[in-house]
Amino acid sequence: MEAGQRDLLTRLLSRVSRSFYLTLRVLPRAIRPQISLAYLLARATDTIADTRVVPRAKRVLLLRELQSLTRVPDLGPLAEQQALPAERELLQRLPECLELLDSFCAADRRLVQHLLSTIIQGQIFDLERFSGETEKEVVALRDDAELDHYAYLVAGCVGEFWTEICRLHLRGLSHWDSAQTHRGVRFGKGLQLINILRDIPADLRRGRCYLPVTEPHRLLEPAGFALICEDYHRWLDRAVEHLDAAWQYVQQIPARHGRLRLACVWPIWIGQKTIARLRHGNPLASPQPVKITRGEVYLLMLDSAWRCWVEPCLSRRFQQLRQMTTR
């Protein structure tokens, strides 16, 4: 790997992925480049989709051009609109990302291309489904089926990709079957559903309500929580069930793959702690999303470092956190 490519997967990756960078760095070396590059590409398309100073139709066109990952359209003007230097640099270096992708084996290229095509499909759905940009134009998803489909497009497909990459490159995981892939899909869906439930106020201000409610504009006021309280806890229950499937995913990872276990355990435990916090109070009462502190994240990571090698201790901690997620 050339120096510039290593820089993409280390320095630049750390600047655009922030906390998730720790998860990427702990991955086994055999799968770290593929998953890290996939993250960079997804982050780049997400930046394109979110650049509101560029007309919506133009953003959709750029995303469609990138969907095949065969060429990079001219992103210079869009890159200059980025407030964050790291995001500007990522868009400017997108051709280098594709060069690195070309150096992968055919199977890896195919998996990354399928993943990005699916994610971009979700981003285009987002831009076309939510036609407004402010809280005065709030639109909601139609039903639970549309919510579930959206969660697959932007996150469930990541679990699918992750599983296939592990099956291809890690010793002892070639036996993973469609059941494990399904668990991986639910893993991603669960994390996305948690993000949706914690980000309701911020999404509403952008004209988006990812929850299927009939009067989304009423959620702009804290009192509107009474209208969705029952469904809100039902969606939290669904997120808990998805994380249960994610834990079954972890249990299929042999103890000798401790680094892979860590990379999967961390988001599950952080998700459980977040659900526990979402169970209490009114999520519409504050414009700030509900989240656990950085210190709590580090404590979870430290606690997992030894438990990942001792199955009973690992499962015991999962069950303790799960009890906190129930009503």
Side-chain angles (χ1 to χ4, degrees):
M1 188 179 296
E2 298 177 359
Q5 295 172 339
R6 286 195 297 272
D7 182 68
L8 280 175
L9 300 185
T10 52
R11 183 192 59 82
L12 183 57
L13 181 66
S14 69
R15 294 179 66 201
V16 297
S17 62
R18 295 180 288 275
S19 58
F20 190 58
Y21 179 69
L22 296 173
T23 298
L24 294 172
R25 292 303 296 168
V26 82
L27 285 171
R29 289 188 179 185
I31 62 173
R32 193 185 307 158
Q34 301 91 323
I35 294 177
S36 295
L37 179 62
Y39 179 90
L40 282 176
L41 290 168
R43 189 73 178 81
T45 58
D46 195 51
T47 298
I48 293 169
D50 286 344
T51 305
R52 287 190 284 177
V53 295
V54 175
R56 183 182 299 263
K58 176 64 174 177
R59 283 178 274 163
V60 170
L61 179 62
L62 290 172
L63 289 171
R64 291 195 191 281
E65 288 186 58
L66 277 168
Q67 204 157 16
S68 65
L69 286 182
T70 55
R71 59 176 296 273
V72 178
D74 179 15
L75 297 176
L78 189 142
E80 292 303 318
Q81 299 291 336
Q82 303 308 311
L84 298 177
E87 293 186 347
R88 185 184 314 121
E89 181 182 355
L90 175 57
L91 294 184
Q92 292 169 340
R93 298 184 66 182
L94 206 51
E96 293 179 58
C97 292
L98 293 194
E99 288 179 11
L100 178 55
L101 178 63
D102 286 340
S103 72
F104 290 172
C105 70
D108 286 345
R109 290 198 305 272
R110 184 171 60 253
L111 288 172
V112 173
Q113 288 167 343
H114 178 71
L115 171 69
L116 262 292
S117 178
T118 305
I119 289 175
I120 289 174
Q121 184 182 342
Q123 292 164 341
I124 292 173
F125 168 85
D126 191 288
L127 287 169
E128 294 180 339
R129 185 72 174 82
F130 302 106
S131 56
E133 300 280 7
T134 70
E135 61 187 29
K136 295 180 181 180
E137 309 157 292
V138 178
V139 174
L141 294 183
R142 284 191 294 268
D143 50 35
D144 280 0
E146 191 169 55
L147 170 59
D148 185 71
H149 180 60
Y150 175 75
Y152 169 75
L153 291 177
V154 298
C157 64
V158 177
E160 191 173 53
F161 164 78
W162 184 294
T163 304
E164 292 301 317
I165 288 290
C166 289
R167 194 200 323 260
L168 271 176
H169 294 285
L170 296 182
R171 182 170 56 88
L173 301 185
S174 60
H175 69 283
W176 276 3
D177 57 11
S178 59
Q180 183 72 341
T181 301
H182 180 65
R183 296 182 193 106
V185 169
R186 294 195 64 185
F187 197 154
K189 284 181 179 180
L191 298 179
Q192 183 63 28
L193 186 52
I194 293 168
N195 286 339
I196 287 171
L197 293 169
R198 64 185 282 275
D199 290 339
I200 298 173
D203 289 332
L204 288 170
R205 291 195 297 273
R206 299 170 59 226
R208 292 159 165 78
C209 181
Y210 293 101
L211 303 175
V213 297
T214 54
E215 299 177 284
H217 62 280
R218 296 184 64 179
L219 303 185
L220 292 166
E221 298 295 332
F225 182 59
L227 301 173
I228 66 165
C229 184
E230 183 176 346
D231 281 333
Y232 176 82
H233 286 284
R234 178 174 59 82
W235 289 318
L236 281 176
D237 291 342
R238 185 61 171 164
V240 171
E241 292 169 359
H242 281 319
L243 292 190
D244 286 347
W247 194 251
Q248 293 171 10
Y249 187 97
V250 170
Q251 290 177 318
Q252 298 299 313
I253 302 173
R256 67 174 177 272
H257 288 301
R259 296 173 71 92
L260 180 61
R261 275 191 169 193
L262 283 174
C264 293
V265 165
W266 292 343
I268 295 173
W269 287 5
I270 292 169
Q272 288 177 312
K273 292 273 284 189
T274 303
I275 291 173
R277 201 146 294 176
L278 289 169
R279 285 291 188 190
H280 307 288
N282 181 346
L284 308 181
S286 170
Q288 300 302 318
V290 174
K291 62 181 180 180
I292 67 174
T293 67
R294 186 175 295 273
E296 288 176 295
V297 170
Y298 289 148
L299 284 174
L300 284 176
M301 294 171 71
L302 183 63
D303 189 31
S304 67
W306 67 274
R307 290 181 185 270
C308 268
W309 306 96
V310 186
E311 179 63 40
C313 296
L314 188 67
S315 294
R316 188 179 307 121
R317 183 58 173 147
F318 168 79
Q319 292 299 334
Q320 289 171 348
L321 291 169
R322 194 193 186 286
Q323 288 176 4
M324 299 168 57
T325 67
T326 57
R327 300 196 200 195

